[in-house]
Amino acid sequence: MTTTTGVPTATRSVGTAHTRREGVAKVTGEARYAGEVPHAELAHGWVVLSTVARGRIVAVEDGPVRKLPGVIQVLHHGNAPRLQEGFAGTLGPDATALMLQHDRVPHAGWPVAVVVAETSEQAREAAEALVVRYETEPHDVDFSAEHPDRYTPESTPIGPPTTEKGDVESELDASAVVVDERYTTPEQHHNAMEPHAAMARWDSGRLEVVDSSQGTFVTASDLAKLFSLDPASVRVRAEHVGGAFGAKGMMRAHLVLAVMATTVIGRPVRIALTRRQVYSLVGHRSPTAQRVRLGADADGRLRVLDHTSLSRTSRLDEFVEMGANFGRSMYDAGAHRTVNSVVPLDVPTPTFMRAPGEAPGSFALESAVDELAHKCGIDPIELRVRNEPEFGPVTGLPVEARGLLPCFREGARRFGWAGRDPRPGVRREGRWLLGTGTAGAGFFVGAFPSQAALTAEPDGTFTVRIAASDVGTGARTALTQVAADALAVAPDRVRVRIGDSDFGNAWLGGGSMGTRSWAWAVLAAARELRDVMVPGAEVPAEGITVRSDTTDEVSSVAAREHHSHGAQFAEVAVDVGTGEVRVRRMLGIFSAGRIVNPLTARSQFVGGMVGGLSMALHEEAIRDRASGALVNPDFAGYHFAAHADVPEIEADWVDVPDPNDPVGIKGIGEIGIVGAAAAIANAVWHATGVRQRALPIRPDRVLRGDRGTGENA
């Protein structure tokens, strides 16, 4: 008997739970991360960061530091290797990579020097003793919706900043019910368990790097461009990565400076960032100021969806947090407008952070949809049913395998939504007010071309080589399962080697496109291997190897509205005396295509929901206007959800495979966080009768009914 994929059911692995292939190595310490890989004659670098927010370097007084014990070299803008001017990497122009190239200081925490010494301790002592003198200039880090320098870009690497159809103003005038509200989210940081680290060395004319990277091939390609090297002369490895959330998707200071240092001193150099340095050097999620206007008929059918989102970028690079994009696919409306604008300030450049755009954008739009439902006197889920699109609301494209309403139906059944009293502020348990809320989730589905090599070994096993990255998601295990099914063998006969740029082009582990893109290449290689292998023939000692490239297959997919979806549910308790909010339970039901490994998938969904809880109640980076620096760049000051904050969380899914993907995968990395904060905020309103339109929902805001006015309100 075989399945619809042609794989014998006796060997079917996709869809069954498997523990991580590298799990034992991780828990026993056998797995080595970038900051732990040993090497002979290893020197250590320590990054020196600017203490001013804007200006120029007048002097780097490195003479006394060079005489300290163990110091090998001090690099700064006066003596560092020259990099490619106007560098543009895989993800676009990146002036943040051009460190130690000039005397300008664009923000507090900008790298101004790196000290290299025999030991990490000696490097740190010397770096802290280094005197750097500055000529300061006035700086501006004050983000606000009224900032005079705000503008709307003409384009971005991930889509148009603005979309519009219909006449928004006339449709608003004709609407029976209107919601017009403003929402804010603060600056947020990734805080992966493993801080960034890299080791770089030259070996026989080839640059060898071990980095904490989400994409070794992308990193190797960008390093070659930045240092004007032959791409074949650069190798990047990242076998194990301890979390990323987007912060390890691009070259960062630790890597660029380590390559500079090894080039100058001729010895291997490792640079590992401290937790406080990470807050300045690897990007963050920009704060947002959003306005949502919804207009509907009395029966809740949308006439208008108008969402504008303002974020902050640096003066070095333009990065746009595309918060308004979320609504482009979620709900139908006759008049539909989304606008993403930015304000350039003297701050580090923001970057992609889990569900970039959709995470803050869903908080605003899904909160506004809940407000509209209350004004219309309609159940929030029913209102979403009435505005389900048949075609892409903006693109007009056919909708493929859309699973939003199935998620809401299953979630409502399991959460007990039918028995909910819609009136706010009526449920009480002692000093606690109780409330429940819900929100929708959506995230773009895509794929990038990738290459894979597959070898049939003489002992009857198979080896997959692909430059994939496992940032804790279980990708290595999922690819093992995909390969096993494609070859019709048990998973223990498959070895998957990842995290090496020498394995060829492969998309980085981000944007919920990693496993989908890589699995496509693995399947293509398996098909080719089956074609060349002769049944019953002996495999030669060197094995039989084939290589795949999915460029043509991926580019031939027809244009569709293509998204993963989810329905988030939350129950909260609010202390009327202290303003404390406790999330008591959460449920997320998702439609993310075929689930390859239920065990690791559920972990990803739950982890995203915990991130959404943390976003809703805790996370808030505060930037000091006077110094331009963060007030709370460490775990003591930057709060996120700890074990005691996390309630009973249940995550599950509905089975809506993607017909355009050979495995049926969509993507699960981002969708778990989308909508979670809105579900909690809507539950807080249901408990108290007061809307919280600013994140995080702090006790002081609850007590004074504060809806928020902007960053750090």
Side-chain angles (χ1 to χ4, degrees):
M1 179 180 176
T2 60
T3 66
T4 56
T5 60
V7 177
T9 54
T11 61
R12 183 67 186 264
S13 178
V14 169
T16 62
H18 288 256
T19 57
R20 297 171 190 267
R21 299 299 293 267
E22 78 285 7
V24 173
K26 285 183 174 178
V27 300
T28 60
E30 180 185 345
R32 295 295 183 96
Y33 294 82
E36 301 173 320
V37 176
H39 204 280
E41 300 184 328
L42 184 65
H44 298 264
W46 201 272
V47 185
V48 180
L49 304 182
S50 69
T51 56
V52 303
R54 186 174 181 180
R56 56 180 294 269
I57 302 167
V58 175
V60 180
E61 300 179 0
D62 58 342
V65 166
R66 291 177 179 273
K67 299 175 183 178
L68 293 177
V71 172
I72 302 170
Q73 181 61 271
V74 180
L75 295 176
H76 50 78
H77 71 279
N79 62 5
R82 297 296 93 183
L83 303 175
Q84 183 191 79
E85 294 184 12
F87 167 72
T90 303
L91 300 177
D94 183 11
T96 66
L98 299 174
M99 289 162 278
L100 309 188
Q101 302 297 290
H102 48 74
D103 63 0
R104 298 296 306 168
V105 175
H107 61 76
W110 173 253
V112 295
V114 60
V115 177
V116 185
E118 297 290 346
T119 69
S120 178
E121 292 79 9
Q122 289 171 332
R124 180 171 190 167
E125 180 180 7
E128 292 176 349
L130 182 67
V131 175
V132 181
R133 302 197 184 279
Y134 305 93
E135 181 181 279
T136 62
E137 300 171 2
H139 64 265
D140 180 9
V141 298
D142 192 10
F143 175 74
S144 70
E146 293 75 32
H147 199 286
D149 293 340
R150 66 178 290 169
Y151 69 93
T152 301
E154 293 184 1
S155 62
T156 76
I158 56 175
T162 301
T163 62
E164 186 167 7
K165 75 169 186 179
D167 189 327
V168 169
E169 301 304 330
S170 65
E171 290 294 333
L172 274 174
D173 291 341
S175 296
V177 183
V178 173
V179 169
D180 183 352
E181 297 294 349
R182 298 177 185 272
Y183 305 84
T184 63
T185 62
E187 178 180 332
Q188 298 163 345
H189 287 258
H190 305 76
N191 287 309
M193 185 176 291
E194 175 207 22
H196 295 58
M199 187 279 293
R201 71 185 183 105
W202 287 95
D203 181 17
S204 302
R206 196 171 196 226
L207 178 63
E208 298 268 355
V209 168
V210 179
D211 184 29
S212 44
S213 168
Q214 289 177 242
T216 55
F217 186 84
V218 169
T219 300
S221 300
D222 289 352
L223 272 178
K225 293 178 186 176
L226 184 65
F227 284 88
S228 300
L229 302 171
D230 179 352
S233 70
V234 181
R235 181 189 186 190
V236 176
R237 290 180 292 138
E239 184 178 1
H240 299 287
V241 181
F245 312 115
K248 297 174 181 176
M250 301 169 63
M251 287 188 305
R252 298 298 179 187
H254 66 290
L255 173 58
V256 175
L257 296 176
V259 174
M260 281 186 177
T262 192
T263 300
V264 171
I265 73 169
R267 287 173 53 182
V269 176
R270 173 184 294 146
I271 296 179
L273 300 182
T274 67
R275 183 63 64 180
R276 290 178 69 90
Q277 288 175 335
V278 165
Y279 278 81
S280 296
L281 296 177
V282 306
H284 59 276
R285 196 196 301 279
S286 166
T288 69
Q290 303 179 60
R291 183 185 184 187
V292 179
R293 298 192 297 170
L294 302 177
D297 294 332
D299 63 359
R301 297 184 189 277
L302 284 171
R303 301 177 70 101
V304 178
L305 191 158
D306 183 30
H307 186 180
T308 61
S309 178
L310 177 70
S311 61
R312 182 185 72 190
T313 189
S314 73
R315 298 193 195 277
L316 273 176
D317 282 313
E318 180 185 88
F319 181 88
V320 185
E321 181 75 12
M322 305 281 275
N325 283 22
F326 173 72
R328 293 178 181 177
S329 67
M330 289 296 288
Y331 308 114
D332 205 4
H336 208 292
R337 179 169 61 194
T338 61
V339 181
N340 295 283
S341 301
V342 287
V343 174
L345 297 172
D346 302 308
V347 297
T349 304
T351 193
F352 305 100
M353 184 169 167
R354 198 169 195 177
E358 277 79 358
S362 64
F363 164 66
L365 182 57
E366 291 298 305
S367 295
V369 168
D370 199 74
E371 298 195 45
L372 179 67
H374 178 65
K375 280 191 170 185
C376 291
I378 300 172
D379 179 82
I381 296 178
E382 175 57 28
L383 185 134
R384 290 170 169 87
V385 171
R386 296 180 186 184
N387 292 286
E388 174 76 352
E390 294 184 16
F391 295 92
V394 173
T395 65
L397 292 172
V399 174
E400 191 77 81
R402 185 174 169 93
L404 182 62
L405 295 190
C407 289
F408 270 115
R409 284 194 292 267
E410 178 64 11
R413 182 187 68 80
R414 291 171 61 161
F415 194 74
W417 188 262
R420 176 182 186 261
D421 187 334
R423 296 173 299 165
V426 298
R427 289 179 62 201
R428 181 182 288 269
E429 188 180 277
R431 72 177 193 273
W432 299 94
L433 290 171
L434 306 182
T436 54
T438 190
F443 196 84
F444 166 76
V445 170
F448 272 79
S450 295
Q451 299 170 337
L454 179 55
T455 301
E457 308 288 359
D459 63 359
T461 63
F462 300 86
T463 302
V464 175
R465 293 174 178 85
I466 186 168
S469 177
D470 193 330
V471 295
T473 60
R476 181 189 278 102
T477 307
L479 293 177
T480 300
Q481 295 174 253
V482 169
D485 279 4
L487 296 166
V489 299
D492 59 9
R493 290 177 58 188
V494 177
R495 289 183 297 272
V496 173
R497 294 183 57 191
I498 64 172
D500 190 331
S501 62
D502 276 359
F503 294 159
N505 181 22
W507 181 241
L508 53 81
S512 289
M513 290 182 279
T515 300
R516 175 180 163 95
S517 301
W518 306 324
W520 208 321
V522 170
L523 278 175
R527 288 196 301 266
E528 186 171 345
L529 184 62
R530 290 199 306 266
D531 289 342
V532 302
M533 288 186 69
V534 178
E538 185 175 334
V539 176
E542 68 275 13
I544 300 174
T545 299
V546 299
R547 289 176 172 81
S548 66
D549 187 328
T550 62
T551 300
D552 292 339
E553 292 180 66
V554 170
S555 61
S556 66
V557 175
R560 295 284 192 275
E561 278 277 324
H562 225 181
H563 292 78
S564 292
H565 289 100
Q568 303 271 14
F569 295 82
E571 179 178 19
V572 305
V574 182
D575 188 318
V576 296
T578 67
E580 178 186 5
V581 177
R582 282 280 175 181
V583 179
R584 290 196 168 183
R585 61 186 176 111
M586 294 181 72
L587 169 67
I589 302 294
F590 302 98
S591 171
R594 176 160 288 119
I595 301 302
V596 176
N597 187 341
L599 186 65
T600 54
R602 184 168 282 107
S603 175
Q604 281 296 292
F605 289 137
V606 170
M609 293 168 70
V610 171
L613 183 156
S614 193
M615 177 181 176
L617 301 182
H618 300 280
E619 298 190 44
E620 182 177 25
I622 300 172
R623 197 162 289 275
D624 178 47
R625 292 184 176 94
S627 68
L630 284 183
V631 173
N632 55 337
D634 52 42
F635 284 176
Y638 185 92
H639 294 169
F640 48 79
H643 288 295
D645 300 303
V646 178
E648 173 190 343
I649 295 183
E650 184 181 1
D652 211 336
W653 46 85
V654 295
D655 187 22
V656 185
D658 185 346
N660 295 298
D661 183 85
V663 184
I665 298 170
K666 284 187 176 179
I668 64 175
E670 265 75 25
I671 193 68
I673 195 173
V674 181
I680 292 170
N682 292 337
V684 171
W685 167 79
H686 188 232
T688 64
V690 178
R691 290 284 176 186
Q692 296 292 324
R693 301 189 182 96
L695 296 184
I697 305 172
R698 302 188 310 238
D700 61 311
R701 286 175 169 162
V702 174
L703 288 176
R704 65 175 184 258
D706 184 8
R707 294 163 174 81
T709 56
E711 185 186 22
N712 303 335

